Amino acid sequence: VTGRPHPDGAFAVLFEDVSAEVTLTRRFRSDIETSQAVIDTIQEPIAVFTNSGTLVMSNRAYSELWATGDPDHLSQRDVRSEAQNWQNRCTPTLMWSEIVRFTLSSQQKELPRQHAILEDGRQISCEAKLIANSMTLVSFSIVRKSTNSLADLSVVDAKVRNSKS
């Protein structure tokens, strides 16, 4: 209901039926929630970025792998900040800057699968693909589980140290 004053003391009241709009909004919201629920059932960590680098979608596995602290996927993030998080949690590699470049340029259809080692010693594989609307899908998979942590891998074993002398 909208009311507006008119000249000579008149008042116009407009009644508008918004049922269709409310129904459409509810259906749209339901579709988004369903899509997110489906994406969350995928066990492979994934993230989708626009061609300007904005993170538009990720799944629960992604949040758990990269400890984003955003289970509802609501915070505003971009590929540069995500790549910084990836780099901070892995051994040094140029892979992350290549993914940023790929996402922002979309000159090619796919970035070859590459590998990195997480701080807990697990080896991960990462791949980036161009998808609809010039968006980039970045997917991760654990290649090999390890019991060693990054700290363990950087400590020189006494046997190795003695064999060098």
Side-chain angles (χ1 to χ4, degrees), residues 5 13 35-36 55 65-66 69 76 88 112 116 118-119 125 150 152 155:
V13 178
S35 296
Q36 186 63 53
L55 177 67
L65 175 65
W66 297 111
Q76 193 76 357
N88 291 342
L118 291 167
E119 61 190 357
S125 173
L150 191 57
D152 295 336
V155 174

Side-chain angles (χ1 to χ4, degrees), residues 13 19 27 35 60 63-64 78 80 83-84 88 98 115-116 124 134 141 155 161:
V13 178
S19 303
R27 188 175 312 140
S35 296
R60 184 171 289 122
S63 296
E64 290 169 0
D78 69 359
R80 288 182 187 95
Q84 186 62 52
N88 291 342
E98 290 175 16
H115 302 277
I124 62 165
S134 298
S141 57
V155 174
R161 191 178 314 120

